[in-house]
Amino acid sequence: MNAQGIVHAVRASLPGEQVEHDYRDMLIAPGFIDSHVHFPQLDVIGSPAEGLLPWVGRLFPNDHSYLSVYDRFGLIRLHSLWGHCIHLDPDDRALLRDRQAVATVCPTSNLFLGSGLFNFAAANHPWTLASDIGGGSSLSPFRTMMAASEVARLGGQYLSPSTLW
């Protein structure tokens, strides 16, 4: 089936035997705010490059941050993955920690794009490493671990090999 448009209009145009699936409890569509896509695809982007922040602020003036928009819609939950997370404030970090959501850090992408550095020293929440070939330079997990180590050292942190693995 290939249909697009406003859901009510599309639904009305479908034959009656179409099965409708409800994925609200298990699938988060990429690009909820900014249509940013990753490979391999993460759930969403947690904290975008600074050029997008003013735009999100204009779209959602009642939310204090990019991540808080997702929270308002109930999308930050246990083990959900949030890409990059390089422009988080203390409230965003507390939100990730309290919900046990995971920052998915893409250091090769952030270094390549110059979009910012993940603050390992302030990360009081779960985090993991990922590669973002859409904006990065490598899919190698070893290159990603090396980049994370270098970013952490720039921030005065040491990440042991066992932490990175």
Side-chain angles (χ1 to χ4, degrees):
M1 178 178 83
N2 185 9
Q4 63 184 28
I6 298 173
V7 68
H8 302 294
V10 170
R11 192 177 287 143
S13 71
L14 298 175
E17 67 273 0
Q18 294 294 320
V19 177
E20 187 174 314
H21 300 279
D22 185 349
Y23 291 111
R24 285 179 290 193
D25 290 335
M26 64 183 80
L27 179 70
I28 300 174
F32 181 73
I33 293 176
D34 69 351
S35 298
H36 190 114
V37 180
H38 286 91
F39 178 80
Q41 183 61 50
L42 298 176
D43 288 340
V44 291
I45 309 307
S47 182
E50 290 185 38
L52 293 176
L53 295 176
W55 177 71
V56 171
R58 289 190 303 276
L59 284 177
F60 303 98
N62 296 324
D63 294 293
H64 87 275
S65 72
Y66 194 90
L67 198 59
S68 69
V69 175
Y70 292 98
D71 184 44
R72 184 164 48 88
F73 287 93
L75 299 175
I76 301 174
R77 48 191 176 216
L78 179 68
H79 301 153
S80 58
L81 301 173
W82 300 90
H84 301 284
C85 295
I86 54 176
H87 300 291
L88 299 178
D89 64 20
D91 290 338
D92 291 331
R93 288 186 183 88
L95 180 61
L96 291 173
R97 182 192 65 234
D98 294 345
R99 302 285 172 79
Q100 297 179 44
V102 182
T104 308
V105 184
C106 303
T108 57
S109 171
N110 299 333
L111 288 167
F112 179 78
L113 296 172
S115 54
L117 304 176
F118 183 78
N119 188 342
F120 288 98
N124 60 354
H125 51 78
W127 59 267
T128 190
L129 296 176
S131 59
D132 175 7
I133 195 62
S137 57
S138 175
L139 285 175
S140 166
F142 303 107
R143 179 65 191 115
T144 300
M145 288 185 278
M146 178 61 84
S149 177
E150 292 167 349
V151 167
R153 294 301 290 160
L154 286 171
Q157 286 289 110
Y158 169 74
L159 299 177
S160 69
S162 61
T163 298
L164 292 166
W165 190 252

Short mmCIF file of all heavy atoms in Angstrom, two decimals, residues 68-119:
data_model
loop_
_atom_site.label_atom_id
_atom_site.label_comp_id
_atom_site.label_asym_id
_atom_site.label_seq_id
_atom_site.Cartn_x
_atom_site.Cartn_y
_atom_site.Cartn_z
N SER A 68 12.80 18.46 25.93
CA SER A 68 11.55 18.65 26.68
C SER A 68 10.33 18.57 25.76
O SER A 68 9.23 18.26 26.23
CB SER A 68 11.57 19.96 27.46
OG SER A 68 11.52 21.07 26.60
N VAL A 69 10.50 18.84 24.47
CA VAL A 69 9.39 18.67 23.53
C VAL A 69 8.97 17.20 23.52
O VAL A 69 7.79 16.87 23.62
CB VAL A 69 9.77 19.13 22.10
CG1 VAL A 69 8.64 18.82 21.11
CG2 VAL A 69 10.12 20.61 22.08
N TYR A 70 9.94 16.32 23.38
CA TYR A 70 9.65 14.89 23.38
C TYR A 70 9.04 14.46 24.71
O TYR A 70 8.15 13.61 24.75
CB TYR A 70 10.92 14.08 23.10
CG TYR A 70 11.42 14.28 21.70
CD1 TYR A 70 12.44 15.17 21.41
CD2 TYR A 70 10.86 13.56 20.64
CE1 TYR A 70 12.90 15.35 20.12
CE2 TYR A 70 11.31 13.73 19.35
CZ TYR A 70 12.32 14.63 19.09
OH TYR A 70 12.76 14.80 17.82
N ASP A 71 9.51 15.03 25.80
CA ASP A 71 8.97 14.68 27.11
C ASP A 71 7.50 15.07 27.21
O ASP A 71 6.69 14.31 27.74
CB ASP A 71 9.78 15.37 28.20
CG ASP A 71 9.31 14.97 29.59
OD1 ASP A 71 9.09 13.76 29.81
OD2 ASP A 71 9.18 15.86 30.44
N ARG A 72 7.15 16.22 26.68
CA ARG A 72 5.75 16.67 26.74
C ARG A 72 4.82 15.68 26.03
O ARG A 72 3.67 15.51 26.40
CB ARG A 72 5.62 18.06 26.13
CG ARG A 72 4.22 18.64 26.24
CD ARG A 72 4.18 20.14 26.00
NE ARG A 72 4.90 20.55 24.83
CZ ARG A 72 4.34 20.61 23.59
NH1 ARG A 72 3.11 20.23 23.40
NH2 ARG A 72 5.06 21.05 22.58
N PHE A 73 5.34 15.01 25.01
CA PHE A 73 4.54 14.03 24.29
C PHE A 73 4.68 12.61 24.87
O PHE A 73 4.21 11.64 24.28
CB PHE A 73 4.90 14.03 22.81
CG PHE A 73 4.39 15.25 22.09
CD1 PHE A 73 5.18 16.37 21.93
CD2 PHE A 73 3.08 15.28 21.60
CE1 PHE A 73 4.71 17.50 21.29
CE2 PHE A 73 2.60 16.40 20.95
CZ PHE A 73 3.42 17.51 20.80
N GLY A 74 5.36 12.49 26.01
CA GLY A 74 5.48 11.20 26.69
C GLY A 74 6.41 10.22 26.01
O GLY A 74 6.27 9.01 26.18
N LEU A 75 7.39 10.72 25.26
CA LEU A 75 8.24 9.83 24.48
C LEU A 75 9.56 9.46 25.15
O LEU A 75 10.29 8.61 24.66
CB LEU A 75 8.52 10.46 23.11
CG LEU A 75 7.27 10.69 22.26
CD1 LEU A 75 7.63 11.44 20.98
CD2 LEU A 75 6.60 9.37 21.94
N ILE A 76 9.88 10.09 26.25
CA ILE A 76 11.12 9.75 26.96
C ILE A 76 10.78 8.72 28.02
O ILE A 76 10.07 9.00 28.97
CB ILE A 76 11.78 10.99 27.58
CG1 ILE A 76 12.09 11.98 26.48
CG2 ILE A 76 13.04 10.60 28.34
CD1 ILE A 76 12.61 13.29 26.98
N ARG A 77 11.29 7.51 27.81
CA ARG A 77 10.94 6.42 28.72
C ARG A 77 12.08 5.44 28.85
O ARG A 77 13.11 5.58 28.19
CB ARG A 77 9.67 5.74 28.26
CG ARG A 77 9.64 5.38 26.82
CD ARG A 77 8.27 4.96 26.40
NE ARG A 77 8.32 4.71 24.98
CZ ARG A 77 7.36 4.96 24.15
NH1 ARG A 77 6.23 5.43 24.58
NH2 ARG A 77 7.49 4.71 22.88
N LEU A 78 11.88 4.46 29.67
CA LEU A 78 12.90 3.46 29.99
C LEU A 78 13.55 2.90 28.73
O LEU A 78 12.86 2.42 27.83
CB LEU A 78 12.25 2.32 30.79
CG LEU A 78 13.15 1.17 31.20
CD1 LEU A 78 14.17 1.63 32.22
CD2 LEU A 78 12.32 0.03 31.76
N HIS A 79 14.87 3.01 28.67
CA HIS A 79 15.71 2.46 27.60
C HIS A 79 15.50 3.09 26.24
O HIS A 79 16.01 2.58 25.25
CB HIS A 79 15.56 0.94 27.51
CG HIS A 79 15.92 0.24 28.77
ND1 HIS A 79 15.38 -0.97 29.11
CD2 HIS A 79 16.74 0.57 29.79
CE1 HIS A 79 15.84 -1.35 30.28
NE2 HIS A 79 16.68 -0.42 30.71
N SER A 80 14.75 4.18 26.15
CA SER A 80 14.65 4.85 24.85
C SER A 80 16.01 5.48 24.52
O SER A 80 16.76 5.86 25.41
CB SER A 80 13.53 5.90 24.84
OG SER A 80 13.72 6.87 25.85
N LEU A 81 16.32 5.54 23.24
CA LEU A 81 17.63 6.03 22.78
C LEU A 81 17.50 7.43 22.22
O LEU A 81 16.61 7.70 21.41
CB LEU A 81 18.17 5.09 21.69
CG LEU A 81 18.36 3.63 22.09
CD1 LEU A 81 18.74 2.81 20.87
CD2 LEU A 81 19.38 3.49 23.19
N TRP A 82 18.44 8.30 22.61
CA TRP A 82 18.40 9.70 22.20
C TRP A 82 19.74 10.07 21.60
O TRP A 82 20.76 10.09 22.28
CB TRP A 82 18.04 10.58 23.41
CG TRP A 82 16.70 10.16 23.89
CD1 TRP A 82 16.41 9.20 24.83
CD2 TRP A 82 15.45 10.58 23.37
NE1 TRP A 82 15.07 9.03 24.93
CE2 TRP A 82 14.45 9.87 24.05
CE3 TRP A 82 15.07 11.51 22.41
CZ2 TRP A 82 13.09 10.05 23.78
CZ3 TRP A 82 13.72 11.69 22.15
CH2 TRP A 82 12.76 10.96 22.84
N GLY A 83 19.75 10.35 20.32
CA GLY A 83 20.99 10.56 19.59
C GLY A 83 21.68 11.87 19.90
O GLY A 83 21.05 12.90 20.12
N HIS A 84 22.99 11.82 19.92
CA HIS A 84 23.92 12.94 20.07
C HIS A 84 23.93 13.51 21.48
O HIS A 84 24.89 13.36 22.19
CB HIS A 84 23.69 14.01 19.02
CG HIS A 84 23.83 13.50 17.64
ND1 HIS A 84 25.05 13.25 17.06
CD2 HIS A 84 22.90 13.15 16.71
CE1 HIS A 84 24.87 12.78 15.84
NE2 HIS A 84 23.57 12.71 15.61
N CYS A 85 22.90 14.22 21.89
CA CYS A 85 22.78 14.78 23.25
C CYS A 85 23.97 15.66 23.61
O CYS A 85 24.51 15.58 24.72
CB CYS A 85 22.58 13.67 24.27
SG CYS A 85 21.02 12.78 24.06
N ILE A 86 24.38 16.51 22.71
CA ILE A 86 25.55 17.35 22.96
C ILE A 86 25.20 18.73 23.51
O ILE A 86 26.09 19.44 23.98
CB ILE A 86 26.42 17.51 21.68
CG1 ILE A 86 25.58 18.01 20.52
CG2 ILE A 86 27.09 16.18 21.35
CD1 ILE A 86 26.38 18.28 19.26
N HIS A 87 23.94 19.11 23.48
CA HIS A 87 23.53 20.42 24.01
C HIS A 87 22.48 20.24 25.10
O HIS A 87 21.42 20.85 25.06
CB HIS A 87 23.00 21.31 22.88
CG HIS A 87 23.99 21.58 21.82
ND1 HIS A 87 25.11 22.36 22.03
CD2 HIS A 87 24.08 21.14 20.55
CE1 HIS A 87 25.82 22.40 20.92
NE2 HIS A 87 25.23 21.67 20.01
N LEU A 88 22.80 19.42 26.08
CA LEU A 88 21.88 19.16 27.18
C LEU A 88 22.17 20.11 28.34
O LEU A 88 23.33 20.40 28.65
CB LEU A 88 22.04 17.73 27.69
CG LEU A 88 21.75 16.60 26.70
CD1 LEU A 88 22.01 15.25 27.37
CD2 LEU A 88 20.33 16.68 26.18
N ASP A 89 21.11 20.55 29.00
CA ASP A 89 21.28 21.34 30.22
C ASP A 89 21.06 20.40 31.42
O ASP A 89 20.71 19.23 31.24
CB ASP A 89 20.35 22.56 30.23
CG ASP A 89 18.87 22.19 30.24
OD1 ASP A 89 18.50 21.06 30.62
OD2 ASP A 89 18.06 23.06 29.87
N PRO A 90 21.27 20.88 32.64
CA PRO A 90 21.09 20.01 33.81
C PRO A 90 19.69 19.39 33.90
O PRO A 90 19.55 18.24 34.33
CB PRO A 90 21.38 20.93 34.99
CG PRO A 90 22.34 21.94 34.43
CD PRO A 90 21.87 22.18 33.02
N ASP A 91 18.66 20.12 33.50
CA ASP A 91 17.31 19.57 33.53
C ASP A 91 17.16 18.41 32.55
O ASP A 91 16.51 17.41 32.85
CB ASP A 91 16.27 20.64 33.22
CG ASP A 91 16.13 21.68 34.32
OD1 ASP A 91 16.50 21.39 35.48
OD2 ASP A 91 15.66 22.79 34.02
N ASP A 92 17.75 18.55 31.36
CA ASP A 92 17.70 17.47 30.37
C ASP A 92 18.43 16.24 30.88
O ASP A 92 17.96 15.11 30.72
CB ASP A 92 18.33 17.92 29.04
CG ASP A 92 17.50 18.96 28.31
OD1 ASP A 92 16.26 18.97 28.47
OD2 ASP A 92 18.10 19.75 27.56
N ARG A 93 19.59 16.45 31.50
CA ARG A 93 20.35 15.32 32.03
C ARG A 93 19.57 14.61 33.13
O ARG A 93 19.53 13.38 33.21
CB ARG A 93 21.70 15.78 32.55
CG ARG A 93 22.66 16.15 31.44
CD ARG A 93 24.06 16.47 32.00
NE ARG A 93 24.90 16.88 30.91
CZ ARG A 93 25.00 18.14 30.47
NH1 ARG A 93 24.31 19.10 31.05
NH2 ARG A 93 25.78 18.43 29.45
N ALA A 94 18.92 15.39 33.99
CA ALA A 94 18.11 14.81 35.06
C ALA A 94 16.93 14.03 34.48
O ALA A 94 16.58 12.96 34.99
CB ALA A 94 17.60 15.90 36.01
N LEU A 95 16.35 14.53 33.41
CA LEU A 95 15.24 13.85 32.76
C LEU A 95 15.69 12.49 32.21
O LEU A 95 15.03 11.47 32.43
CB LEU A 95 14.69 14.72 31.63
CG LEU A 95 13.52 14.19 30.83
CD1 LEU A 95 12.31 13.97 31.71
CD2 LEU A 95 13.20 15.17 29.70
N LEU A 96 16.82 12.45 31.52
CA LEU A 96 17.35 11.19 31.02
C LEU A 96 17.63 10.22 32.17
O LEU A 96 17.30 9.04 32.11
CB LEU A 96 18.62 11.42 30.20
CG LEU A 96 18.46 12.12 28.86
CD1 LEU A 96 19.82 12.42 28.26
CD2 LEU A 96 17.62 11.30 27.91
N ARG A 97 18.25 10.74 33.23
CA ARG A 97 18.58 9.90 34.38
C ARG A 97 17.32 9.35 35.04
O ARG A 97 17.21 8.15 35.29
CB ARG A 97 19.39 10.72 35.40
CG ARG A 97 19.81 9.90 36.62
CD ARG A 97 20.34 10.77 37.75
NE ARG A 97 19.27 11.63 38.25
CZ ARG A 97 19.34 12.96 38.34
NH1 ARG A 97 20.44 13.60 37.98
NH2 ARG A 97 18.33 13.67 38.78
N ASP A 98 16.36 10.22 35.31
CA ASP A 98 15.16 9.80 36.03
C ASP A 98 14.31 8.81 35.23
O ASP A 98 13.68 7.93 35.80
CB ASP A 98 14.32 11.01 36.42
CG ASP A 98 15.02 11.91 37.42
OD1 ASP A 98 16.03 11.47 38.03
OD2 ASP A 98 14.59 13.07 37.59
N ARG A 99 14.31 8.96 33.92
CA ARG A 99 13.52 8.05 33.06
C ARG A 99 14.33 6.83 32.61
O ARG A 99 13.82 5.97 31.92
CB ARG A 99 13.02 8.79 31.83
CG ARG A 99 12.18 10.00 32.13
CD ARG A 99 10.77 9.62 32.60
NE ARG A 99 10.06 10.79 33.06
CZ ARG A 99 9.48 11.69 32.29
NH1 ARG A 99 9.51 11.55 30.99
NH2 ARG A 99 8.86 12.73 32.81
N GLN A 100 15.61 6.80 32.98
CA GLN A 100 16.53 5.74 32.56
C GLN A 100 16.57 5.63 31.04
O GLN A 100 16.63 4.55 30.46
CB GLN A 100 16.17 4.40 33.20
CG GLN A 100 16.29 4.44 34.72
CD GLN A 100 15.90 3.12 35.33
OE1 GLN A 100 16.28 2.07 34.86
NE2 GLN A 100 15.11 3.17 36.41
N ALA A 101 16.53 6.79 30.40
CA ALA A 101 16.68 6.87 28.94
C ALA A 101 18.18 7.00 28.64
O ALA A 101 18.97 7.40 29.50
CB ALA A 101 15.92 8.08 28.40
N VAL A 102 18.57 6.67 27.43
CA VAL A 102 19.98 6.54 27.09
C VAL A 102 20.41 7.56 26.04
O VAL A 102 19.80 7.65 24.97
CB VAL A 102 20.27 5.11 26.56
CG1 VAL A 102 21.74 4.93 26.23
CG2 VAL A 102 19.80 4.06 27.56
N ALA A 103 21.45 8.32 26.36
CA ALA A 103 22.06 9.22 25.36
C ALA A 103 22.92 8.37 24.44
O ALA A 103 23.78 7.63 24.90
CB ALA A 103 22.91 10.27 26.06
N THR A 104 22.68 8.45 23.16
CA THR A 104 23.44 7.69 22.17
C THR A 104 24.44 8.64 21.53
O THR A 104 24.08 9.42 20.65
CB THR A 104 22.50 7.06 21.13
OG1 THR A 104 21.49 6.34 21.83
CG2 THR A 104 23.23 6.11 20.24
N VAL A 105 25.66 8.58 21.99
CA VAL A 105 26.71 9.54 21.63
C VAL A 105 27.37 9.15 20.31
O VAL A 105 27.78 8.01 20.14
CB VAL A 105 27.76 9.60 22.76
CG1 VAL A 105 28.80 10.65 22.46
CG2 VAL A 105 27.09 9.86 24.10
N CYS A 106 27.46 10.10 19.40
CA CYS A 106 28.05 9.88 18.07
C CYS A 106 29.26 10.80 17.90
O CYS A 106 29.19 11.82 17.20
CB CYS A 106 27.02 10.16 16.98
SG CYS A 106 25.52 9.19 17.11
N PRO A 107 30.39 10.48 18.55
CA PRO A 107 31.51 11.43 18.56
C PRO A 107 32.15 11.68 17.20
O PRO A 107 32.58 12.80 16.93
CB PRO A 107 32.51 10.80 19.54
CG PRO A 107 32.17 9.35 19.55
CD PRO A 107 30.69 9.28 19.33
N THR A 108 32.23 10.68 16.33
CA THR A 108 32.85 10.94 15.03
C THR A 108 32.00 11.90 14.21
O THR A 108 32.52 12.76 13.51
CB THR A 108 33.10 9.64 14.23
OG1 THR A 108 31.87 8.94 14.05
CG2 THR A 108 34.11 8.76 14.94
N SER A 109 30.68 11.78 14.31
CA SER A 109 29.78 12.70 13.61
C SER A 109 29.92 14.11 14.16
O SER A 109 30.04 15.08 13.41
CB SER A 109 28.34 12.22 13.77
OG SER A 109 27.44 13.19 13.27
N ASN A 110 29.88 14.24 15.49
CA ASN A 110 29.94 15.56 16.09
C ASN A 110 31.27 16.25 15.82
O ASN A 110 31.31 17.46 15.60
CB ASN A 110 29.67 15.47 17.59
CG ASN A 110 28.29 14.91 17.86
OD1 ASN A 110 27.37 15.05 17.06
ND2 ASN A 110 28.14 14.24 18.98
N LEU A 111 32.35 15.48 15.80
CA LEU A 111 33.66 16.06 15.47
C LEU A 111 33.72 16.47 14.00
O LEU A 111 34.19 17.56 13.67
CB LEU A 111 34.78 15.06 15.77
CG LEU A 111 35.07 14.82 17.25
CD1 LEU A 111 35.96 13.59 17.43
CD2 LEU A 111 35.70 16.05 17.88
N PHE A 112 33.22 15.62 13.13
CA PHE A 112 33.25 15.91 11.69
C PHE A 112 32.42 17.15 11.36
O PHE A 112 32.85 18.00 10.59
CB PHE A 112 32.72 14.69 10.92
CG PHE A 112 32.67 14.88 9.44
CD1 PHE A 112 33.83 14.77 8.68
CD2 PHE A 112 31.48 15.16 8.79
CE1 PHE A 112 33.80 14.94 7.31
CE2 PHE A 112 31.43 15.33 7.43
CZ PHE A 112 32.60 15.22 6.68
N LEU A 113 31.24 17.25 11.96
CA LEU A 113 30.35 18.38 11.68
C LEU A 113 30.70 19.63 12.49
O LEU A 113 30.23 20.72 12.17
CB LEU A 113 28.90 17.98 11.98
CG LEU A 113 28.32 16.88 11.10
CD1 LEU A 113 26.95 16.46 11.63
CD2 LEU A 113 28.23 17.34 9.66
N GLY A 114 31.47 19.45 13.56
CA GLY A 114 31.78 20.58 14.43
C GLY A 114 30.56 21.05 15.21
O GLY A 114 30.45 22.22 15.57
N SER A 115 29.64 20.13 15.48
CA SER A 115 28.38 20.51 16.11
C SER A 115 28.45 20.58 17.63
O SER A 115 27.55 21.10 18.26
CB SER A 115 27.28 19.54 15.69
OG SER A 115 27.66 18.21 15.95
N GLY A 116 29.51 20.06 18.20
CA GLY A 116 29.66 20.11 19.65
C GLY A 116 30.28 18.83 20.18
O GLY A 116 30.46 17.87 19.44
N LEU A 117 30.59 18.85 21.46
CA LEU A 117 31.22 17.70 22.12
C LEU A 117 30.33 17.22 23.25
O LEU A 117 29.84 18.03 24.05
CB LEU A 117 32.59 18.09 22.67
CG LEU A 117 33.59 18.67 21.67
CD1 LEU A 117 34.86 19.11 22.40
CD2 LEU A 117 33.90 17.67 20.59
N PHE A 118 30.13 15.92 23.33
CA PHE A 118 29.36 15.36 24.43
C PHE A 118 30.12 15.59 25.73
O PHE A 118 31.33 15.39 25.80
CB PHE A 118 29.13 13.86 24.21
CG PHE A 118 28.30 13.22 25.27
CD1 PHE A 118 26.92 13.37 25.26
CD2 PHE A 118 28.87 12.45 26.26
CE1 PHE A 118 26.12 12.77 26.23
CE2 PHE A 118 28.10 11.85 27.24
CZ PHE A 118 26.72 12.02 27.22
N ASN A 119 29.41 16.00 26.76
CA ASN A 119 30.03 16.30 28.05
C ASN A 119 29.99 15.04 28.93
O ASN A 119 29.04 14.82 29.68
CB ASN A 119 29.31 17.46 28.72
CG ASN A 119 30.01 17.95 29.96
OD1 ASN A 119 30.84 17.24 30.53
ND2 ASN A 119 29.68 19.15 30.39
#
